[in-house]
């Protein structure tokens, strides 16, 4: 009789444990699906923003205002725009710092940024503001970031910081 009770207890214990594992798996599966759904929505939104940003740059012919692209045919400009990546940054974010290697060229799609240079005694002096359709970092385009003196990589001439609540750049 004791063996019978022990056997039933073990079976019930195993069933409870199995049920607990199954329920835990279901909760994790639901959480994982929710997280994946959230990521997909964010990726879709970023894709929409990137497409809209590229369209805005195309429509306003912003790249043709960059001396390097002045004589580039429209179909080549489209190809260049397809290679751009979209970035959204919030207020006070530093997009690039004076003295860093110049690796990226930026076009401001929306928002504003301050341009500051470091002068004597580590003092930052604001020298300009970048607004919608302005660009910066063109030295990064020269020789793939090697447009500096004697083949040395170019360095950033200024620090660019987001001024508005957010900025969108390509």
């Amino acid at each position: 009789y004791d063996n019978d009770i022990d056997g039933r207890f073990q079976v019930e214990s195993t069933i409870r444990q199995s049920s607990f594992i199954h329920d835990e798996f279901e909760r994790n599966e639901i959480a994982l699906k929710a997280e994946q759904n959230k990521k997909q929505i964010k990726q879709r939104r970023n894709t929409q923003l990137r497409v809209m940003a590229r369209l805005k740059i195309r429509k306003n012919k912003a790249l043709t205002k960059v001396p390097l692209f002045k004589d580039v045919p429209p179909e080549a400009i489209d190809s260049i725009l397809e290679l751009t990546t979209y970035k959204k940054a919030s207020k006070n974010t530093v997009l690039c710092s004076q003295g860093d290697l110049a690796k990226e060229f930026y076009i401001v799609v929306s928002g504003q940024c301050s341009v500051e240079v470091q002068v004597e005694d580590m003092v930052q002096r604001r020298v300009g503001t970048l607004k919608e359709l302005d660009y910066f970092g063109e030295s990064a385009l020269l020789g793939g970031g090697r447009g500096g003196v004697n083949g040395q990589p170019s360095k950033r001439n200024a620090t660019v910081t987001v001024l508005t609540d957010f900025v969108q750049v390509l």
Side-chain angles (χ1 to χ4, degrees), residues 96 98 113-130 157-161 163:
C96 65
Q98 184 175 348
C113 299
S114 71
V115 181
E116 298 177 338
V117 294
Q118 186 174 322
V119 292
E120 312 153 7
D121 300 327
M122 307 294 280
V123 174
Q124 292 278 66
R125 178 168 290 146
R126 188 161 166 187
V127 294
T129 302
L130 297 168
N157 298 317
T159 298
V160 178
T161 307
L163 272 178

Side-chain angles (χ1 to χ4, degrees), residues 31-76:
L32 179 63
K33 284 181 182 178
E35 186 65 30
Q36 287 175 334
N37 190 35
K38 204 162 95 176
K39 283 181 181 178
Q40 285 177 340
I41 289 169
K42 186 177 179 181
Q43 284 177 331
R44 258 182 273 162
R45 181 67 181 144
N46 278 341
T47 299
Q48 289 171 339
L49 290 170
R50 184 181 69 243
V51 168
M52 289 178 1
R54 288 175 178 167
L55 182 62
K56 184 177 190 174
I57 299 303
R58 274 188 191 99
K59 185 177 166 186
N60 290 291
K61 299 181 180 179
L63 276 182
T64 59
K65 295 170 186 151
V66 178
L68 272 164
F69 296 119
K70 187 177 72 168
D71 297 322
V72 175
E75 50 281 347

Side-chain angles (χ1 to χ4, degrees), residues 2-55:
D2 285 341
N3 283 342
D4 228 15
I5 292 174
D6 285 344
R8 271 189 272 156
F9 179 74
Q10 285 179 339
V11 168
E12 288 174 10
S13 176
T14 302
I15 290 171
R16 276 194 302 273
Q17 199 172 20
S18 170
S19 181
F20 174 78
I21 291 169
H22 181 266
D23 292 347
E24 185 69 20
F25 173 80
E26 288 296 319
R27 279 192 299 276
N28 287 334
E29 188 72 12
I30 290 168
L32 179 63
K33 284 181 182 178
E35 186 65 30
Q36 287 175 334
N37 190 35
K38 204 162 95 176
K39 283 181 181 178
Q40 285 177 340
I41 289 169
K42 186 177 179 181
Q43 284 177 331
R44 258 182 273 162
R45 181 67 181 144
N46 278 341
T47 299
Q48 289 171 339
L49 290 170
R50 184 181 69 243
V51 168
M52 289 178 1
R54 288 175 178 167
L55 182 62

Side-chain angles (χ1 to χ4, degrees), residues 87 89 92-106 113-117 124 130 135-140 155-162 167 169:
K87 183 177 180 179
N92 298 323
T93 300
V94 175
L95 296 176
C96 65
S97 296
Q98 184 175 348
D100 287 352
L101 289 180
K103 296 180 182 178
E104 295 173 316
F105 169 75
Y106 295 87
C113 299
S114 71
V115 181
E116 298 177 338
V117 294
Q124 292 278 66
L130 297 168
Y135 59 89
F136 63 99
E138 52 274 36
S139 61
K155 303 260 180 159
R156 295 287 183 194
N157 298 317
T159 298
V160 178
T161 307
V162 179
V167 72
V169 294

